[in-house]
Amino acid sequence: MQSPVAAAVEASPIAPLETLSEHACCGGVQGFYRHASAAIGLPMRFGVYRPPQALQDPTVALPTLVWLAGLTCTEETFAIKAGAQRLAAELGLLLVTPDTSPRHTGIAAADASWDLGHGAGFYLDASQAPWNAHWRMETYLMHELPALLAAHFPFSVDRCSVFGHSMGGHGALTLALRHPGRFRSVSAFAPIAAPLHAAWGVQAFSAYLGDDRAAWEAHDATALVQAGRRLPALLIDQGLADKFLLEHQLQPERFETACHAAGQALILRRHAGYDHSYYFIASFIEDHLRFHAAALQAG
């Protein structure tokens, strides 16, 4: 019997897909694609790594892992820097890397700062002008992109997990909290875990959501856990030499306290000497892929 999530995805409209490039990689194919997005109102790009198992039998849907990247990143960043394809090939995981925001929007303010606008979608639907014209990343990620993946790739909506870095870690946590049952497992590297209390979050929420603090809380992982939302299996890694940790942009301790008080299971690992870069991500990416593979292959 088809799950409600799968039925909703199947019913979504499907846009034609343009292949930008494809590259042989670890026995599979790393590709980058573009399509006209109805949710965003502009073209959107994303990447997909198809492991060797997808080439052997493209009719079999594979367990899927969606990576949400951080500020200034694109759909290419993780694929180029993390070194995840080799283990994904071993584990038979489809890797999906969406872009981090709309592009070429014509909004002057979108290029005024590196941490707001282009490359800084914060994985939410904006309610305030001018951002609400195109900044609908939550709708895009939770509805439109899964339908596109299901139509063109061996994507399993019912065996899907999510992880991310920094702003993308925030996105992984909040999307999983806001959409119970959509993801088998969640993990993050150095997530913005309490954006209500961080300069990045205050700036983004003020611009995208206005002055309504209740709207802010609906996109803050710590506040959502405090309000009773829950996550499946959860892993977070944090480098202790991360300058954004020291600047109080990330605040994992707030999230950890909220999880402990709420009875939310959490593995939070702190690593001396590691910073906020992809060198940190590459050092522990194997742990995250194996963590998600265990959840995706169970049951």
Side-chain angles (χ1 to χ4, degrees):
M1 181 177 177
Q2 190 179 45
S3 73
V5 171
V9 166
E10 189 175 284
S12 300
I14 307 300
L17 191 65
E18 176 188 359
T19 298
L20 299 174
S21 66
E22 291 187 327
H23 315 272
C25 182
C26 299
V29 175
Q30 175 66 59
F32 299 100
Y33 309 94
R34 179 168 55 199
H35 70 107
S37 168
I40 301 298
L42 291 167
M44 286 293 289
R45 298 182 181 223
F46 64 94
V48 175
Y49 175 67
R50 287 175 285 156
Q53 295 85 342
L55 307 186
Q56 294 161 9
D57 188 349
T59 66
V60 176
L62 296 176
T64 301
L65 192 47
V66 178
W67 171 263
L68 304 180
L71 291 164
T72 75
C73 294
T74 73
E75 73 285 353
E76 294 184 310
T77 310
F78 178 82
I80 293 170
K81 293 185 174 183
Q85 292 95 336
R86 188 173 303 279
L87 187 59
E90 174 189 323
L91 299 173
L93 296 174
L94 196 76
L95 299 178
V96 177
T97 56
D99 200 356
T100 52
S101 79
R103 303 284 177 175
H104 308 293
T105 61
I107 297 172
D111 290 317
S113 173
W114 67 273
D115 52 3
L116 183 73
H118 295 147
F122 271 82
Y123 303 105
L124 51 75
D125 287 0
S127 60
Q128 303 298 301
W131 311 105
N132 58 353
H134 302 295
W135 265 252
R136 294 188 289 272
M137 291 298 292
E138 182 172 9
T139 295
Y140 174 70
L141 290 169
M142 300 308 298
H143 299 287
E144 186 175 17
L145 183 58
L148 194 72
L149 293 169
H152 295 285
F153 300 94
F155 165 72
S156 176
V157 68
D158 291 322
R159 285 197 298 162
C160 188
S161 292
V162 65
F163 63 157
H165 171 228
S166 194
M167 177 187 72
H170 146 80
L173 294 172
T174 56
L175 291 179
L177 285 161
R178 288 169 56 80
H179 298 271
R182 286 297 296 269
F183 302 110
R184 294 276 190 96
S185 51
V186 183
S187 74
F189 291 86
I192 306 171
L196 268 71
H197 304 279
W200 278 339
V202 171
Q203 174 183 247
F205 290 173
S206 297
Y208 298 149
L209 302 174
D211 297 328
D212 182 0
R213 298 283 296 192
W216 295 18
E217 291 173 358
H219 294 280
D220 180 292
T222 298
L224 286 167
V225 168
Q226 291 171 333
R229 299 293 184 102
R230 294 294 177 265
L231 290 161
L234 176 59
L235 168 66
I236 292 177
D237 278 318
Q238 175 64 60
L240 294 180
D242 186 330
K243 70 176 183 178
F244 299 118
L245 175 69
L246 304 178
E247 292 173 6
H248 306 292
Q249 295 280 25
L250 308 177
Q251 305 210 24
E253 67 283 351
R254 284 185 183 268
F255 185 68
E256 183 179 36
T257 298
C259 287
H260 179 74
Q264 166 67 56
L266 166 65
I267 301 169
L268 174 55
R269 309 189 304 183
R270 294 172 169 89
H271 304 276
Y274 286 91
D275 60 20
H276 200 72
S277 71
Y278 266 79
Y279 297 110
F280 169 49
I281 293 168
S283 298
F284 299 101
I285 192 66
E286 178 174 350
D287 294 351
H288 284 247
L289 264 63
R290 292 195 184 279
F291 170 80
H292 289 294
L296 290 166
Q297 292 164 3

